[in-house]
Amino acid sequence: MVSLHQLRCFLAVYERGSLTAAAEQLGYAQPSISEQIRTLERSLGIELFARVGRGVVPTAAGESLRPHAERTLAAAEDARRAVRSVTALETGTVRFGIFGTARLYAGAALVADMLKDHPGVRVELIGQNSADVQEELRRGRLEVAMIAVTQVNTEGLQVTPVARDELVYLSADPSRLRSPVTAERLARASLVMPETTWRATDSTRVVLRRMLHETGYTPTTRIEVEDVETAVELVGMGLADSVVHRGVAAQLIPRLAPEAGYVSLRPKQFDTLAIVHRAGATLSPAARLMTELATRRIQAVAEPVTT
């Protein structure tokens, strides 16, 4: 018989590529992890990993098992949440996924909204970028989230668009803000862009790459940074321009770059913000409430999308 514990051990080994690293992640002794993998392999009648140097790599069977293991553990987590949902709104923990810049729209205010009527609840806002938030959803570590869905792989997820936010061009040079910025001007601009760790999948960059490629241009950056606050500060110093969500610009320019301003792109470009959770999942009362509060907050600063 296959147990949930065996599947957790299997996924840890799969993700870390090492029995020792998996043991450290889960807080067990390495021989215990090895025994769980051997027992799982005996139950299934096939090897799941092959040794390579000091690590392991999944066999074809291991690759095949991974998505099933993730779904099984996610379903088990759903069941656990359902049982605990009776008291969750009073004393439980609410874990809500949210992409990095969304904290500027709804972070502290969202937590305050939740605690206003449910002061005994513990709140966790999880995530830095939409790509990593969706992975947490797939693995069952989050119940529901708000992400930008321009680039994420939504297979297996239920996606409910709630707002769209325009991408705008930031600059401290007034001459660059006299008219909307075309793809040609954008391709020649000296840009600072945030989210450098996720540059390949960041939704803002995906939209810009698509805009430029359609007109035959290649996007380039002069400065790469992680957080949007640093990017806006550098714009305020006149060291580069940038492209961010209009909601982000409205929040940060007065505080970090009061001499800067922003203008639309031509044609206008938008990022769609959506509530997402695993397809078929039944949300707990706490998750449903957090979803309602987050939707209300995001629609107050971005253009609502009605479905």
Side-chain angles (χ1 to χ4, degrees):
M1 179 180 293
V2 175
S3 71
L4 295 177
H5 180 54
Q6 290 168 356
L7 293 180
R8 289 190 188 95
C9 292
F10 163 77
L11 286 178
V13 175
Y14 182 98
E15 293 170 359
R16 302 301 295 271
S18 163
L19 293 166
T20 301
E24 292 175 354
Q25 175 180 315
L26 295 176
Y28 295 108
Q30 189 268 341
S32 176
I33 299 296
S34 299
E35 179 58 28
Q36 292 299 318
I37 297 300
R38 284 195 297 268
T39 302
L40 179 59
E41 289 176 329
R42 284 197 297 269
S43 296
L44 299 175
I46 195 167
E47 288 189 352
L48 299 172
F49 296 101
R51 289 193 173 277
V52 176
R54 295 185 178 181
V56 295
V57 295
T59 62
E63 292 285 3
S64 178
L65 176 62
R66 179 191 61 81
H68 297 286
E70 290 178 346
R71 285 196 293 270
T72 298
L73 292 176
E77 180 63 16
D78 282 343
R80 184 190 67 82
R81 290 193 183 105
V83 171
R84 297 182 59 188
S85 64
V86 175
T87 59
L89 276 176
E90 302 305 324
T91 60
T93 295
V94 180
R95 302 181 82 243
F96 187 79
I98 191 166
F99 65 98
T101 56
R103 71 185 187 278
L104 301 172
Y105 306 72
L110 178 57
V111 174
D113 289 343
M114 190 69 178
L115 296 182
K116 178 181 178 182
D117 293 326
H118 303 281
V121 78
R122 181 173 179 271
V123 180
E124 294 183 10
L125 294 185
I126 310 296
Q128 292 294 322
N129 181 274
S130 292
D132 73 314
V133 172
Q134 71 141 349
E135 280 305 308
E136 293 292 286
L137 279 168
R138 291 187 187 284
R139 297 182 187 281
R141 296 169 183 165
L142 287 173
E143 190 176 2
V144 66
M146 175 178 285
I147 62 176
V149 295
T150 301
Q151 175 66 4
V152 299
N153 175 14
T154 57
E155 182 180 356
L157 299 177
Q158 181 170 322
V159 179
T160 305
V162 294
R164 66 174 193 165
D165 203 357
E166 184 184 358
L167 299 181
V168 294
Y169 186 90
L170 273 62
S171 181
D173 185 342
S175 67
R176 300 173 190 166
L177 304 177
R178 290 172 182 163
S179 61
V181 175
T182 62
E184 179 181 5
R185 284 180 57 195
L186 188 62
R188 291 187 281 105
S190 179
L191 296 178
V192 53
M193 293 298 294
E195 308 287 355
T196 186
T197 293
W198 295 277
R199 68 179 75 181
T201 57
D202 175 61
S203 61
T204 296
R205 297 191 192 223
V206 169
V207 172
L208 294 183
R209 283 197 294 269
R210 188 178 301 157
M211 174 186 176
L212 291 173
H213 289 162
E214 288 176 351
T215 51
Y217 295 101
T218 301
T220 59
T221 57
R222 180 187 182 192
I223 305 170
E224 291 280 342
V225 296
E226 288 288 3
D227 62 280
V228 70
E229 289 90 346
T230 299
V232 172
E233 283 188 281
L234 289 168
V235 170
M237 295 175 184
L239 297 177
D241 295 343
S242 191
V243 177
V244 300
H245 291 140
R246 179 187 288 270
V248 171
Q251 290 286 329
L252 294 184
I253 283 180
R255 177 161 54 92
L256 300 178
E259 302 303 317
Y262 61 87
V263 69
S264 296
L265 301 175
R266 179 181 290 160
K268 288 187 176 182
Q269 303 293 319
F270 295 88
D271 214 349
T272 299
L273 312 178
I275 295 292
V276 295
H277 57 79
R278 292 187 308 282
T282 300
L283 299 184
S284 67
R288 290 198 299 270
L289 177 57
M290 201 71 162
T291 295
E292 293 170 6
L293 296 174
T295 299
R296 191 180 309 150
R297 282 289 174 184
I298 210 74
Q299 290 183 339
V301 295
E303 179 183 333
V305 170
T306 56
T307 57

